[in-house]
Amino acid sequence: PALFLATSPGAAGAKNVLAAAEASARYFSGQLVASLSVPKFHDNFDVESQSLTHPELAARVRGFARQLAEAVESPEPEVAAR
């Protein structure tokens, strides 16, 4: 199971890079649980505290992290067999 995050200093948040990673995950037997593009990295991330400062983005990451943990604890049968 995987959670993909992408960011950039611009407004697009590395969406093209994230889209390419999402599209290629299946070729590496990836089970993509969720993905998120974080735009304007310097405005939305505090380097000192190592945390997102945008409340909605932070909440989405926490939710995705829970989904990832659940997927790791009970992986899909085809992923577990590999």
Side-chain angles (χ1 to χ4, degrees):
L3 165 61
F4 288 178
L5 301 173
T7 190
S8 72
K15 285 186 180 180
N16 291 333
V17 172
L18 183 58
E22 291 170 340
S24 67
R26 63 189 178 112
Y27 296 108
F28 299 97
S29 300
Q31 177 193 351
L32 185 57
V33 174
S35 64
L36 178 66
S37 170
V38 178
K40 300 181 180 179
F41 176 78
H42 300 292
D43 294 339
N44 291 312
F45 189 81
D46 179 45
V47 176
E48 188 173 310
S49 67
Q50 297 289 298
S51 63
L52 286 167
T53 57
H54 189 285
E56 182 182 326
L57 292 172
R60 290 181 69 192
V61 168
R62 285 191 299 274
F64 292 156
R66 282 191 295 275
Q67 290 176 354
L68 179 62
E70 290 170 6
V72 168
E73 291 173 3
S74 57
E76 293 180 0
E78 65 182 49
V79 174
R82 293 189 179 142

